[in-house]
Amino acid sequence: MPFMLDDLKKAQQAYRQFLERRPPEHHARYIFPFFAGSYFCYRKIDVRRVVAVAKAASSDPSYLDVGCGYGDFLSKIREFLPNASGVEKEGGIFYALGVEKPAYIEVAPVESIAKQGDMAFVGWMEPGVDFRRQVSKAAQCIVTTFDAGGQCGINGGCEYDEFGYERVAWWRTPSWIDVNAEVMNRYYTPTLSEEKKEQLADLRSAHNFWYVYARPDIADKVRESLRAQAAMEDPHDRFEFEGVLDECGFGYKEELLTVTSARRLWEVVFD
Ligand SMILES: C[S@@+](CC[C@H](N)C(=O)[O-])C[C@H]1O[C@@H](n2cnc3c(N)ncnc32)[C@H](O)[C@@H]1O
C-alpha cells in the first residue's frame, strides 16, 4: 500500500485545521494536493490536450484514469468526456475519511482491468509504483505525468516505448513540489525577506513532464489532433485556481532559466 490510512487521517486533520484559518482561495490545492487537488499541477489547456489525444483514438473514446485518488483531474476531464472513469486501488481513502465515492471511480487495482480501451491517463505515481505493463494492456493511447526526480521502474523511467508505444509529444509543467514551496514561502513564511524569496524562486527545478504515447498505427492521428489543439488553445479559457500558478511565477509559456531545452512551460514538443 503506498500510504497508511492512519497517516492520511492525520493529514486530513491538518487539512481541516488549515481550512478553518480561512486561507486565500485555492491555496489548499497546492498545499494538500491529495485532498484538494492533484499531485501534478495543471491548467485547463492540459485537460483539453488530454481530451484531444483521447478523441484522436475514437470519436467517443473510453477513458480510464489509473490511480485517480479522489478524482480531481478526472472530474475536469468528465466536463468534456462525460463517460470517463477512474480506477483506484485504495478504497480506504473514501471510507476512512467519509468521502462519498463517485460511481465513476471503481475501487480496484489496475491489474484487474481486463478490457482494452482507448485512453489511459496516469497522473503521478509514488516512486517505486510501476504498473506500466498493466496500463499498456488497457489502452491505445497513454498520457502519463511524472516528476524529473525519477519514478516508476527501477531505473526511474516512466516511458512506454518498451511496451509497444510511440512517444508522440511531451510538455513540461511546474511540479507541485515547486508550487507548494513557492506558496509556502510567499504566503506562510512571514520572516523570509523579499530577496530570499526571489533567490528561492530561482532554484526551482523539479518539473513535471507530460508524455503522450500512442500505438504506432494511430500515432500520426494523435500527433495531428494534439498539434491542432495546441495551435488553437486559449490560455484565457481557464480554471479559477490557475491564478495561483501565475502569482507564483509559473505562467503559461513562462521561460525557465534552469533548463537548456524546451524552456517554456506548457510548450508542446512533438517527437
Ligand atoms: C500519488 S497518488 C496520485 C493520485 C492522483 N493521480 C493525483 O495525481 O493526485 C497515487 C494513487 O495511485 C493509487 N494506486 C497505486 N497503485 C495502484 C494500482 N495498482 N491500481 C490502482 N491504483 C493504484 C494509490 O492508491 C494512490 O491513490
Side-chain angles (χ1 to χ4, degrees), residues 180-217:
N180 171 279
E182 200 61 28
V183 170
M184 296 310 286
N185 289 341
R186 274 172 193 258
Y187 301 100
Y188 300 92
T189 319
T191 52
L192 218 53
S193 70
E194 285 308 312
E195 191 190 3
K196 191 74 193 162
K197 285 178 188 170
E198 288 310 314
Q199 277 174 8
L200 288 171
D202 284 346
L203 289 178
R204 57 204 186 185
S205 59
H207 311 134
N208 191 249
F209 295 103
W210 298 59
Y211 277 14
V212 179
Y213 287 95
R215 292 285 186 206
D217 57 323

Side-chain angles (χ1 to χ4, degrees), residues 10-168:
K10 278 188 206 139
Q12 197 207 29
Q13 209 176 346
Y15 170 50
R16 288 205 171 125
Q17 283 167 355
F18 176 78
L19 291 183
E20 277 164 17
R21 290 174 11 216
R22 300 193 178 278
E25 218 180 346
H26 309 304
H27 279 195
R29 157 175 290 276
Y30 301 104
I31 297 175
F32 296 93
F34 196 64
F35 298 127
S38 58
Y39 277 100
F40 53 95
C41 299
Y42 63 89
R43 294 176 178 272
K44 198 171 198 173
I45 55 166
D46 296 299
V47 173
R48 287 188 178 275
R49 288 175 186 180
V50 171
V51 169
V53 170
K55 288 212 161 159
S58 161
S59 55
D60 182 19
S62 59
Y63 178 105
L64 185 69
D65 186 328
V66 180
C68 62
Y70 293 106
D72 175 77
F73 187 72
L74 175 58
S75 68
K76 306 293 186 295
I77 289 286
R78 282 174 58 84
E79 291 174 18
F80 300 90
L81 303 175
N83 295 323
S85 61
V87 61
E88 167 54 51
K89 181 180 172 176
E90 190 49 70
I93 65 171
F94 298 100
Y95 312 126
L97 304 186
V99 175
E100 193 177 338
K101 182 189 77 60
Y104 55 82
I105 296 179
E106 182 184 355
V107 172
V110 64
E111 290 80 352
S112 69
I113 303 288
K115 60 180 185 295
Q116 172 82 37
D118 296 310
M119 164 95 194
F121 176 81
V122 184
W124 208 92
M125 276 306 123
E126 292 94 346
V129 175
D130 185 7
F131 41 48
R132 285 175 297 161
R133 187 168 297 284
Q134 285 74 31
V135 173
S136 65
K137 286 182 195 150
Q140 299 201 69
C141 306
I142 298 168
V143 176
T144 180
T145 86
F146 59 96
D147 271 4
Q151 282 160 286
C152 303
I154 40 175
N155 298 322
C158 285
E159 289 80 6
Y160 281 84
D161 313 63
E162 68 191 90
F163 301 102
Y165 292 83
E166 203 176 292
R167 197 179 71 176
V168 164

